[in-house]
Amino acid sequence: AAKESGKASFVRFEPRMRDDMINHATLAGELRNGIARGELRLLYQPVFDLVTGRLHGCEALVRWQHPIRGFVSPGEFIPVAERSGLIVPLGAWVLREACEQMARWRDQYGDGAVEAVNVNVAVRQLRSSGFVDEVAAVLSETGLTSRNVILEVTESSVVDGWQVQETLQGLHDMGVRLALDDFGTGQSSLSLLRAFPVDVLKLDKSFVDGIADGADRGRLAVAAAVAQLAEHLQLKAVAEGIENREQLERLRDMGYRYGQGFFMAKPLPAADCGALMAADPVRAA
Ligand code: C2E
Ligand code: MG
Ligand code: MG
Ligand code: MG
């Protein structure tokens, strides 16, 4: 906008921007209270093995039920939490809650209930030097092993700097697996894979969407290339945001062994995810 005006190089301060700032401050304050008052909870979206159809894992996704605003989506409050630094205590709560739930599932449905719970981790958590110890403490206090949690990080957070690199290496040395979330949307996908101890690639939903219309050959080509890359590097390939059978079948045929999406299951309360574990004939045996 500043360039278009042609007169000055500064950006005009518009009323809408002030509103954004106020909303941000208000929302951050309310989120701080909300965390303390227990307004957050987790849902779990099942991850399925697309070949066998069996439940493979679950991704923890945070929800905020505000007393007056009602449901606030993570798309709104996660960015606020990231900018304000609240993501650090919020993320710590998510990690502990997800691990406690994982331990309950294992108690209820046996060690094979699901192998791992996926937890999203923000770059600010990875920047703190205490994060590796925090993860180790939560695992030991909840009686889990490092195989029982997969941390989801984005490409941009992975290239943040040496401190993050050290943290990721520390987690990897501990045996905690890392998934690259929203893969394909970042800047430096390929070189990242050589430099970092990544275990799982999660193809971004935008590429999965492209498969539905069929007309978008560019996104289709990326989806296929990511599957091949995963195979060559012996990484797990997961496709996110599968909304219909055609997408599921084409992704599976491309080499995506695992998938998530509303076509199979939306994010569910922990008990409903547990019911899927109980219903699994192999697990229940
Ligand atoms: P994400 O980690 O990439 O999670 C996938 C998002 O796609 C989730 O949205 C999920 O509900 C949605 N999704 C899954 N399948 C489908 C589908 O078939 N169709 C459509 N339209 N959507 C689908 P959600 O739960 O709203 O979360 C949005 C983002 O917020 C997450 O993207 C993640 O980046 C962030 N987030 C959520 N929970 C946490 C958390 O505990 N910590 C951090 N740091 N970020 C989180
Ligand atoms: Mg994720
Ligand atoms: Mg994702
Ligand atoms: Mg995403």
Side-chain angles (χ1 to χ4, degrees):
K3 217 173 189 175
E4 280 159 20
S5 74
K7 286 178 189 160
S9 61
F10 55 83
V11 176
R12 223 178 63 210
F13 194 87
E14 299 188 31
R16 190 176 47 76
M17 293 167 69
R18 209 178 107 246
D19 288 351
D20 285 352
M21 285 168 63
I22 294 167
N23 286 341
H24 179 269
T26 311
L27 209 59
E30 290 178 359
L31 182 57
R32 183 174 290 112
N33 291 334
I35 295 170
R37 290 200 203 111
E39 292 168 11
L40 299 183
R41 67 178 190 129
L42 295 183
L43 293 182
Y44 297 88
Q45 188 177 32
V47 181
F48 290 94
D49 183 323
L50 300 182
V51 175
T52 64
R54 293 183 60 201
L55 178 68
H56 177 69
C58 293
E59 177 178 6
L61 293 161
V62 68
R63 297 290 179 260
W64 181 18
Q65 193 64 40
H66 187 285
I68 297 155
R69 292 177 196 266
F71 172 77
V72 187
S73 93
E76 265 179 89
F77 72 84
I78 290 290
V80 169
E82 283 177 342
R83 274 178 281 156
S84 62
L86 275 174
I87 193 72
V88 173
L90 188 157
W93 178 83
V94 168
L95 177 67
R96 180 168 294 272
E97 178 71 17
C99 287
E100 285 173 358
Q101 182 56 55
M102 182 67 187
R104 283 194 289 271
W105 280 328
R106 289 166 68 83
D107 279 349
Q108 290 171 290
Y109 306 111
D111 290 352
V114 276
E115 190 190 21
V117 65
N118 286 35
V119 177
N120 292 285
V121 174
V123 66
R124 291 187 67 151
Q125 293 173 272
L126 299 171
R127 276 188 208 141
S128 108
S129 56
F131 188 68
V132 177
D133 291 340
E134 178 188 329
V135 173
V138 170
L139 289 176
S140 100
E141 284 159 31
T142 52
L144 298 180
T145 75
S146 57
R147 299 302 289 172
N148 298 142
V149 51
I150 295 175
L151 300 180
E152 299 198 0
V153 300
T154 61
E155 288 165 272
S156 60
S157 60
V158 163
V159 293
D160 185 71
W162 65 269
Q163 205 154 25
V164 167
Q165 190 162 353
E166 248 177 38
T167 301
L168 296 177
Q169 192 59 51
L171 292 166
H172 177 79
D173 293 345
M174 230 168 81
V176 172
R177 283 167 294 173
L178 299 173
L180 268 190
D181 207 350
D182 306 334
F183 190 73
T185 58
Q187 292 293 310
S188 47
S189 311
L190 296 181
S191 52
L192 271 187
L193 296 177
R194 287 169 41 86
F196 292 94
V198 172
D199 305 282
V200 181
L201 294 185
K202 296 190 77 170
L203 178 73
D204 192 68
K205 180 179 188 310
S206 56
F207 302 103
V208 174
D209 292 342
I211 289 170
D213 23 79
D216 191 339
R217 303 195 61 204
R219 286 190 289 181
L220 202 66
V222 172
V226 169
Q228 287 191 6
L229 191 65
E231 194 193 325
H232 289 309
L233 297 174
Q234 292 178 293
L235 307 176
K236 247 198 250 187
V238 182
E240 319 191 274
I242 299 175
E243 291 183 343
N244 57 55
R245 178 172 300 283
E246 188 196 343
Q247 290 170 342
L248 187 156
E249 286 173 355
R250 295 191 68 172
L251 288 160
R252 186 190 55 211
D253 294 346
M254 268 179 207
Y256 288 90
R257 179 73 197 250
Y258 304 99
Q260 269 173 280
F262 292 177
F263 178 65
M264 293 89 88
K266 291 198 169 171
L268 303 170
D272 295 356
C273 228
L276 289 177
M277 297 169 198
D280 187 311
V282 180
R283 266 179 260 275

PDB file of all heavy atoms in Angstrom, residues 59 61 120 152 154 180-183 202-205 240-241 260, ligand 3:
ATOM      1  N   GLU A  59      -3.572 -37.091  16.080  1.00  0.00           N
ATOM      2  CA  GLU A  59      -2.930 -35.785  16.244  1.00  0.00           C
ATOM      3  C   GLU A  59      -3.734 -34.941  17.222  1.00  0.00           C
ATOM      4  O   GLU A  59      -4.939 -34.742  17.041  1.00  0.00           O
ATOM      5  CB  GLU A  59      -2.840 -35.048  14.901  1.00  0.00           C
ATOM      6  CG  GLU A  59      -2.240 -33.647  15.046  1.00  0.00           C
ATOM      7  CD  GLU A  59      -2.093 -32.883  13.729  1.00  0.00           C
ATOM      8  OE1 GLU A  59      -2.556 -33.389  12.684  1.00  0.00           O
ATOM      9  OE2 GLU A  59      -1.516 -31.781  13.767  1.00  0.00           O
ATOM     10  N   LEU A  61      -5.099 -31.643  18.691  1.00  0.00           N
ATOM     11  CA  LEU A  61      -5.394 -30.309  18.157  1.00  0.00           C
ATOM     12  C   LEU A  61      -6.120 -29.514  19.236  1.00  0.00           C
ATOM     13  O   LEU A  61      -7.149 -29.955  19.756  1.00  0.00           O
ATOM     14  CB  LEU A  61      -6.237 -30.435  16.886  1.00  0.00           C
ATOM     15  CG  LEU A  61      -5.497 -31.071  15.699  1.00  0.00           C
ATOM     16  CD1 LEU A  61      -6.478 -31.584  14.641  1.00  0.00           C
ATOM     17  CD2 LEU A  61      -4.496 -30.086  15.067  1.00  0.00           C
ATOM     18  N   ASN A 120       1.658 -30.833  17.976  1.00  0.00           N
ATOM     19  CA  ASN A 120       2.203 -29.687  17.237  1.00  0.00           C
ATOM     20  C   ASN A 120       3.062 -28.829  18.168  1.00  0.00           C
ATOM     21  O   ASN A 120       2.668 -28.536  19.287  1.00  0.00           O
ATOM     22  CB  ASN A 120       1.061 -28.833  16.670  1.00  0.00           C
ATOM     23  CG  ASN A 120       0.306 -29.556  15.571  1.00  0.00           C
ATOM     24  OD1 ASN A 120       0.792 -29.689  14.452  1.00  0.00           O
ATOM     25  ND2 ASN A 120      -0.874 -30.065  15.903  1.00  0.00           N
ATOM     26  N   GLU A 152       5.287 -32.444  15.757  1.00  0.00           N
ATOM     27  CA  GLU A 152       5.094 -31.845  14.434  1.00  0.00           C
ATOM     28  C   GLU A 152       5.651 -30.429  14.426  1.00  0.00           C
ATOM     29  O   GLU A 152       5.242 -29.594  15.223  1.00  0.00           O
ATOM     30  CB  GLU A 152       3.603 -31.831  14.071  1.00  0.00           C
ATOM     31  CG  GLU A 152       3.006 -33.224  14.004  1.00  0.00           C
ATOM     32  CD  GLU A 152       1.683 -33.285  13.253  1.00  0.00           C
ATOM     33  OE1 GLU A 152       1.205 -32.242  12.774  1.00  0.00           O
ATOM     34  OE2 GLU A 152       1.131 -34.397  13.153  1.00  0.00           O
ATOM     35  N   THR A 154       7.122 -27.120  11.707  1.00  0.00           N
ATOM     36  CA  THR A 154       7.023 -26.634  10.327  1.00  0.00           C
ATOM     37  C   THR A 154       8.422 -26.401   9.758  1.00  0.00           C
ATOM     38  O   THR A 154       9.388 -26.266  10.504  1.00  0.00           O
ATOM     39  CB  THR A 154       6.236 -25.311  10.253  1.00  0.00           C
ATOM     40  OG1 THR A 154       6.922 -24.347  11.026  1.00  0.00           O
ATOM     41  CG2 THR A 154       4.815 -25.483  10.768  1.00  0.00           C
ATOM     42  N   LEU A 180       7.565 -33.212   9.671  1.00  0.00           N
ATOM     43  CA  LEU A 180       7.529 -31.885   9.039  1.00  0.00           C
ATOM     44  C   LEU A 180       6.106 -31.635   8.561  1.00  0.00           C
ATOM     45  O   LEU A 180       5.623 -32.290   7.635  1.00  0.00           O
ATOM     46  CB  LEU A 180       8.486 -31.816   7.855  1.00  0.00           C
ATOM     47  CG  LEU A 180       9.909 -31.329   8.121  1.00  0.00           C
ATOM     48  CD1 LEU A 180      10.628 -31.108   6.801  1.00  0.00           C
ATOM     49  CD2 LEU A 180       9.947 -30.068   8.968  1.00  0.00           C
ATOM     50  N   ASP A 181       5.449 -30.680   9.247  1.00  0.00           N
ATOM     51  CA  ASP A 181       4.042 -30.376   9.005  1.00  0.00           C
ATOM     52  C   ASP A 181       3.902 -29.443   7.810  1.00  0.00           C
ATOM     53  O   ASP A 181       4.825 -28.687   7.506  1.00  0.00           O
ATOM     54  CB  ASP A 181       3.484 -29.680  10.256  1.00  0.00           C
ATOM     55  CG  ASP A 181       1.992 -29.898  10.433  1.00  0.00           C
ATOM     56  OD1 ASP A 181       1.344 -30.414   9.501  1.00  0.00           O
ATOM     57  OD2 ASP A 181       1.486 -29.549  11.510  1.00  0.00           O
ATOM     58  N   ASP A 182       2.755 -29.480   7.149  1.00  0.00           N
ATOM     59  CA  ASP A 182       2.461 -28.570   6.036  1.00  0.00           C
ATOM     60  C   ASP A 182       3.558 -28.630   4.979  1.00  0.00           C
ATOM     61  O   ASP A 182       3.919 -27.618   4.372  1.00  0.00           O
ATOM     62  CB  ASP A 182       2.311 -27.120   6.536  1.00  0.00           C
ATOM     63  CG  ASP A 182       1.286 -26.991   7.654  1.00  0.00           C
ATOM     64  OD1 ASP A 182       0.372 -27.838   7.708  1.00  0.00           O
ATOM     65  OD2 ASP A 182       1.413 -26.069   8.473  1.00  0.00           O
ATOM     66  N   PHE A 183       4.086 -29.829   4.760  1.00  0.00           N
ATOM     67  CA  PHE A 183       5.231 -29.975   3.872  1.00  0.00           C
ATOM     68  C   PHE A 183       4.869 -29.602   2.433  1.00  0.00           C
ATOM     69  O   PHE A 183       3.802 -29.949   1.939  1.00  0.00           O
ATOM     70  CB  PHE A 183       5.781 -31.402   3.916  1.00  0.00           C
ATOM     71  CG  PHE A 183       7.098 -31.537   3.215  1.00  0.00           C
ATOM     72  CD1 PHE A 183       8.243 -31.024   3.786  1.00  0.00           C
ATOM     73  CD2 PHE A 183       7.187 -32.138   1.973  1.00  0.00           C
ATOM     74  CE1 PHE A 183       9.467 -31.111   3.133  1.00  0.00           C
ATOM     75  CE2 PHE A 183       8.405 -32.247   1.326  1.00  0.00           C
ATOM     76  CZ  PHE A 183       9.543 -31.729   1.907  1.00  0.00           C
ATOM     77  N   LYS A 202       4.492 -34.624   6.247  1.00  0.00           N
ATOM     78  CA  LYS A 202       3.047 -34.454   6.137  1.00  0.00           C
ATOM     79  C   LYS A 202       2.750 -33.500   4.994  1.00  0.00           C
ATOM     80  O   LYS A 202       2.967 -32.297   5.098  1.00  0.00           O
ATOM     81  CB  LYS A 202       2.477 -33.901   7.444  1.00  0.00           C
ATOM     82  CG  LYS A 202       2.648 -34.868   8.609  1.00  0.00           C
ATOM     83  CD  LYS A 202       1.873 -34.419   9.833  1.00  0.00           C
ATOM     84  CE  LYS A 202       0.397 -34.712   9.688  1.00  0.00           C
ATOM     85  NZ  LYS A 202      -0.315 -34.481  10.977  1.00  0.00           N
ATOM     86  N   LEU A 203       2.278 -34.065   3.897  1.00  0.00           N
ATOM     87  CA  LEU A 203       1.942 -33.265   2.719  1.00  0.00           C
ATOM     88  C   LEU A 203       0.834 -32.280   3.064  1.00  0.00           C
ATOM     89  O   LEU A 203      -0.211 -32.683   3.592  1.00  0.00           O
ATOM     90  CB  LEU A 203       1.464 -34.187   1.587  1.00  0.00           C
ATOM     91  CG  LEU A 203       1.040 -33.477   0.294  1.00  0.00           C
ATOM     92  CD1 LEU A 203       2.258 -32.942  -0.450  1.00  0.00           C
ATOM     93  CD2 LEU A 203       0.234 -34.414  -0.593  1.00  0.00           C
ATOM     94  N   ASP A 204       1.045 -31.009   2.760  1.00  0.00           N
ATOM     95  CA  ASP A 204       0.052 -29.993   3.089  1.00  0.00           C
ATOM     96  C   ASP A 204      -1.261 -30.221   2.355  1.00  0.00           C
ATOM     97  O   ASP A 204      -1.286 -30.654   1.202  1.00  0.00           O
ATOM     98  CB  ASP A 204       0.595 -28.604   2.748  1.00  0.00           C
ATOM     99  CG  ASP A 204      -0.283 -27.517   3.340  1.00  0.00           C
ATOM    100  OD1 ASP A 204      -0.309 -27.401   4.575  1.00  0.00           O
ATOM    101  OD2 ASP A 204      -0.969 -26.816   2.568  1.00  0.00           O
ATOM    102  N   LYS A 205      -2.335 -29.867   3.059  1.00  0.00           N
ATOM    103  CA  LYS A 205      -3.671 -30.027   2.513  1.00  0.00           C
ATOM    104  C   LYS A 205      -3.869 -29.339   1.161  1.00  0.00           C
ATOM    105  O   LYS A 205      -4.654 -29.821   0.333  1.00  0.00           O
ATOM    106  CB  LYS A 205      -4.676 -29.466   3.526  1.00  0.00           C
ATOM    107  CG  LYS A 205      -6.106 -29.563   3.089  1.00  0.00           C
ATOM    108  CD  LYS A 205      -7.045 -29.009   4.137  1.00  0.00           C
ATOM    109  CE  LYS A 205      -8.491 -29.282   3.762  1.00  0.00           C
ATOM    110  NZ  LYS A 205      -8.862 -28.915   2.411  1.00  0.00           N
ATOM    111  N   GLU A 240      -2.495 -34.905   4.462  1.00  0.00           N
ATOM    112  CA  GLU A 240      -3.460 -34.249   5.357  1.00  0.00           C
ATOM    113  C   GLU A 240      -4.633 -33.671   4.587  1.00  0.00           C
ATOM    114  O   GLU A 240      -4.470 -33.189   3.468  1.00  0.00           O
ATOM    115  CB  GLU A 240      -2.882 -33.016   6.054  1.00  0.00           C
ATOM    116  CG  GLU A 240      -1.534 -33.016   6.575  1.00  0.00           C
ATOM    117  CD  GLU A 240      -1.327 -31.775   7.458  1.00  0.00           C
ATOM    118  OE1 GLU A 240      -0.986 -30.693   6.972  1.00  0.00           O
ATOM    119  OE2 GLU A 240      -1.511 -31.951   8.663  1.00  0.00           O
ATOM    120  N   GLY A 241      -5.790 -33.674   5.220  1.00  0.00           N
ATOM    121  CA  GLY A 241      -6.939 -32.968   4.655  1.00  0.00           C
ATOM    122  C   GLY A 241      -7.628 -33.723   3.543  1.00  0.00           C
ATOM    123  O   GLY A 241      -8.139 -33.123   2.592  1.00  0.00           O
ATOM    124  N   GLN A 260      -4.895 -38.411   6.897  1.00  0.00           N
ATOM    125  CA  GLN A 260      -5.811 -37.796   7.845  1.00  0.00           C
ATOM    126  C   GLN A 260      -6.801 -36.992   7.032  1.00  0.00           C
ATOM    127  O   GLN A 260      -6.416 -36.428   6.003  1.00  0.00           O
ATOM    128  CB  GLN A 260      -5.059 -36.762   8.697  1.00  0.00           C
ATOM    129  CG  GLN A 260      -4.459 -37.248   9.976  1.00  0.00           C
ATOM    130  CD  GLN A 260      -3.606 -36.138  10.589  1.00  0.00           C
ATOM    131  OE1 GLN A 260      -2.484 -35.945  10.159  1.00  0.00           O
ATOM    132  NE2 GLN A 260      -4.144 -35.437  11.568  1.00  0.00           N
TER     133      GLN A 260
HETATM  134 MG    MG B   3      -0.565 -29.839   8.920  1.00  0.00          MG
END
